[in-house]
Amino acid sequence: MQPTGVLETSKATNPLKALLSYGQSMWLDYIRRDLITSGGLKKMIDEDGLRGMTSNPSIFEKAIAESSLYDDMLKSLASRQDLDATGRYEQIAIRDIQDAADVLRPVYESSKFRDGYVSLEVSPLLALKTQETIEEARRLWKAVNRENVMIKIPGTAEGLPAIRQAIGEGININVTLLFAQEVYEKVAEAYIAGLEDLATRGGNPKKMASVASFFISRIDSLVDSKLNDRLKATTDATEQSLIKSLLGKVAIANGKLTYQSYQLIFSGPRWQALAAKGAQTQRVLWASTSTKNPNYRDVVYVEELIGPDTVNTMPPATIDAFRDHGQLRNSLTEDVAGAAKVMSDLAKVGVSIKEATDKLTDDAVKLFADAFDKLLAAVAKNTQQKGK
């Protein structure tokens, strides 16, 4: 028996494509040269309803280190004495981003600038440096030279003023590494303030776009480990029962409550003044939606976060899984009171969501910086080999 509100999906209906009828855009969290050149990206747009793409240093590192797809480019860059490893990586990344943006351009135009974006990240080594982030965002935006590109800036304390400045200059921004509801609210404020700055300067808010990338599964990975520690530390049956009821529930609850903030922020008079000038809301983008725990349903972080004006960026394996057996329903606004109870129960059992999200942010900044270092090492090594 199907749960209430679940649509039956026949073989003729692709659940990925059907997400759009719920107001959610599916983006791909992956990029590789052959996806663009083989027609695979165009096929996903046509058959799966793909609406955009995100990339990060880890994705590029795997693409360069684990394939021969970039040998031609690496070989041609070997003689470029004016470029260091970062410069060479950017030449490779910018080519892929431009070509993917060109394939997605019809989506960008038909959606009236709502979708069809490809994201390119500023160096993660700048996550705690405001001015350098602003300068790099400007430089990458100019170098890619495509309207349907977003520059990724992390939502750190140092990133917030950079986000406002970039939006105010007309640069589309994907705000990444968001874990906490209160940080998301500051990011939305930076976006609105940036649009106001843009409008004051005589810019056109109609073509501006931004997403706030809110990470999901990593929250459950960390919080579940803390809950399991609590479980081992107590012999009280009531407390044990409460702790068990929270396992695998916190990330989705956190996302649902953040979406409530989104709806509130983008409905007041301040926002309406910008909307009257054609401004679009900064959608929440669900990131890190692959399931890390094998005990959980492999599409749980897609199925439980479906709702209007949102994006879910999925890695290839999650896309394949959801295409095969994803179930559709308006889940994002279901049982918001239950989501609030999950968060209050979490505090009751002694696990601080703020401590968890602070740690996740710090860890993510470090992980992305490490991935960038690894990427540059792969570029340097491969360029040297191809140049011989």
Side-chain angles (χ1 to χ4, degrees):
M1 186 173 169
Q2 295 282 1
T4 308
V6 173
L7 293 185
E8 287 279 6
T9 57
S10 69
K11 292 271 186 203
T13 308
N14 183 339
L16 290 165
K17 207 166 190 175
L19 281 170
L20 203 56
S21 64
Y22 290 80
Q24 185 168 84
S25 295
M26 186 269 287
W27 289 10
L28 171 65
D29 191 25
Y30 179 79
I31 194 166
R32 209 170 83 156
R33 187 81 200 140
D34 56 342
L35 180 69
I36 304 160
T37 57
S38 69
L41 179 59
K42 174 75 166 61
K43 187 180 178 188
M44 289 184 76
I45 293 167
D46 294 341
E47 296 182 6
D48 294 327
L50 183 73
R51 308 286 287 174
M53 290 174 82
T54 49
S55 71
N56 63 45
S58 184
I59 289 170
F60 269 115
E61 188 271 325
K62 284 186 174 66
I64 292 165
E66 297 175 10
S67 79
S68 58
L69 296 164
Y70 298 88
D71 286 3
D72 61 332
M73 191 84 165
L74 289 162
K75 193 172 182 179
S76 71
L77 290 169
S79 59
R80 290 282 302 272
Q81 298 303 313
D82 57 317
L83 295 176
D84 59 6
T86 303
R88 289 180 175 131
Y89 150 67
E90 285 181 3
Q91 292 290 312
I92 292 166
I94 287 167
R95 180 180 70 163
D96 276 7
I97 296 289
Q98 286 174 328
D99 291 349
D102 291 344
V103 176
L104 281 156
R105 180 83 191 197
V107 176
Y108 172 72
E109 289 174 350
S110 65
S111 67
K112 295 185 170 59
F113 326 125
R114 193 65 164 159
D115 278 311
Y117 293 92
V118 189
S119 296
L120 177 64
E121 192 151 352
V122 297
S123 165
L125 307 178
L126 304 178
L128 307 179
K129 297 176 180 178
T130 302
Q131 192 54 39
E132 290 93 329
T133 294
I134 293 169
E135 288 163 9
E136 179 139 325
R138 286 174 183 146
R139 186 174 62 75
L140 291 174
W141 173 256
K142 192 176 176 183
V144 176
N145 193 27
R146 297 291 188 277
E147 289 181 337
N148 57 323
V149 159
M150 288 187 179
I151 305 300
K152 284 173 92 170
I153 296 177
T156 55
E158 296 82 359
L160 290 169
I163 292 157
R164 175 176 177 170
Q165 182 67 32
I167 294 291
E169 292 181 16
I171 300 171
N172 300 321
I173 298 296
N174 175 339
V175 185
T176 188
L177 300 187
L178 300 178
F179 296 92
Q181 189 181 337
E182 61 270 22
V183 177
Y184 161 73
E185 289 165 2
K186 289 176 184 173
V187 165
E189 159 63 32
Y191 173 65
I192 290 171
L195 282 180
E196 288 169 341
D197 295 343
L198 181 72
T200 301
R201 290 182 184 135
N204 180 9
K206 281 185 184 178
K207 277 198 168 184
M208 285 304 302
S210 179
V211 291
S213 293
F214 202 80
F215 282 51
I216 302 297
S217 65
R218 293 187 198 189
I219 288 175
D220 274 347
S221 296
L222 179 60
V223 171
D224 281 2
S225 71
K226 289 179 178 291
L227 288 170
N228 281 318
D229 289 344
R230 295 275 168 187
L231 205 52
K232 290 171 193 164
T234 182
T235 53
D236 184 284
T238 305
E239 190 177 9
Q240 284 179 339
S241 176
L242 184 58
I243 291 168
K244 283 176 184 173
S245 74
L246 296 171
L247 290 166
K249 299 290 192 295
V250 174
I252 289 161
N254 196 40
K256 285 187 174 187
L257 296 177
T258 297
Y259 184 68
Q260 293 295 304
S261 291
Y262 163 84
Q263 290 185 306
L264 199 63
I265 291 164
F266 290 100
S267 62
R270 185 180 175 196
W271 174 251
Q272 290 306 323
L274 285 164
K277 295 174 182 172
Q280 316 183 62
T281 61
Q282 179 192 53
R283 288 178 295 175
V284 180
L285 176 150
W286 309 122
S288 183
T289 54
S290 62
T291 304
K292 310 290 191 286
N293 188 329
N295 296 320
Y296 300 157
R297 187 166 162 80
D298 59 357
V299 288
V300 66
Y301 299 118
V302 181
E303 289 178 340
E304 300 303 320
L305 294 168
I306 299 171
D309 297 323
T310 57
V311 179
N312 196 313
T313 186
M314 309 177 206
T318 304
I319 283 178
D320 290 343
F322 196 80
R323 186 193 297 112
D324 179 67
H325 52 264
Q327 298 286 356
L328 297 151
R329 71 184 202 281
N330 278 309
S331 52
L332 189 51
T333 51
E334 273 180 5
D335 195 16
V336 174
K341 185 177 185 300
V342 165
M343 301 312 279
S344 64
D345 285 348
L346 187 69
K348 204 180 287 182
V349 300
V351 176
S352 163
I353 189 64
K354 185 177 187 313
E355 280 179 21
T357 55
D358 284 352
K359 178 172 168 44
L360 284 164
T361 304
D362 291 344
D363 288 354
V365 167
K366 186 178 185 310
L367 278 169
F368 275 56
D370 290 348
F372 194 66
D373 285 337
K374 196 176 172 188
L375 165 63
L376 297 184
V379 169
K381 181 185 171 188
N382 287 21
T383 308
Q384 199 173 27
Q385 287 174 347
K386 304 300 177 284
K388 286 178 180 174

